[in-house]
Amino acid sequence: MADTTGRFCGRNQPEDVWFLAGTFGGTVRRTCTVPTGRPVVFPLVNQQANSKAVCNEFMTTAEGRATLDGEPVTPERIEDDNVAVTGVAGNPLTGEKGTTTSYACGLWVRLQPLRPGRHTLTIRGSSGDFRTGVDYTLIARTGQQA
């Protein structure tokens, strides 16, 4: 999320999907190379919280939109899923090494695997005073590894 260029977009990717990050606020422009064989998943706006109530409040004003190559994509509302996050010491999400459990909520998109070539993905999201956006140039390549 702190990556302002896309330099780290291939870092620690799982084998079944390819995650694209939002931001901690504000808008950035990133270029990423992604594999053609995996679905692409990303948030329009999201939050991790210590209670369902915090997620519910966040979702009352959550809104967003995304376009892939100029065509709108449909987001899914994730209301208050219980999630476990495992991180290294100093990670930007929890700051601590180990696994923590919290609630996750937001507007998310799952795209089918991209066809080879260059794609433009525009993401905008907000909740309350929080605003986020990413302008992605995605280069889909066959055989791309994480």
Side-chain angles (χ1 to χ4, degrees), residues 48-64:
Q48 250 185 282
N50 59 4
S51 73
K52 285 184 178 186
V54 172
C55 268
N56 291 339
E57 182 178 336
F58 180 83
M59 291 304 291
T60 61
T61 59
E63 54 186 39

Side-chain angles (χ1 to χ4, degrees), residues 8-60:
F8 301 109
C9 71
R11 193 177 203 182
N12 298 320
Q13 291 285 351
E15 292 186 21
D16 56 340
V17 298
W18 194 271
F19 285 103
L20 297 174
T23 72
F24 288 117
T27 302
V28 298
R29 183 177 303 271
R30 296 181 182 134
T31 299
C32 294
T33 300
V34 302
T36 56
R38 292 191 221 172
V40 176
V41 178
F42 57 89
L44 304 183
V45 63
N46 68 311
Q47 181 180 52
Q48 250 185 282
N50 59 4
S51 73
K52 285 184 178 186
V54 172
C55 268
N56 291 339
E57 182 178 336
F58 180 83
M59 291 304 291
T60 61

Side-chain angles (χ1 to χ4, degrees), residues 80-97:
D80 56 14
D81 281 357
N82 199 350
V83 297
V85 175
T86 302
V88 298
N91 74 76
L93 191 57
T94 66
E96 300 176 6
K97 179 181 178 179

Side-chain angles (χ1 to χ4, degrees), residues 92-111:
L93 191 57
T94 66
E96 300 176 6
K97 179 181 178 179
T99 301
T100 61
T101 301
S102 62
Y103 294 93
C105 49
L107 302 173
W108 284 79
V109 172
R110 179 184 173 107
L111 299 174

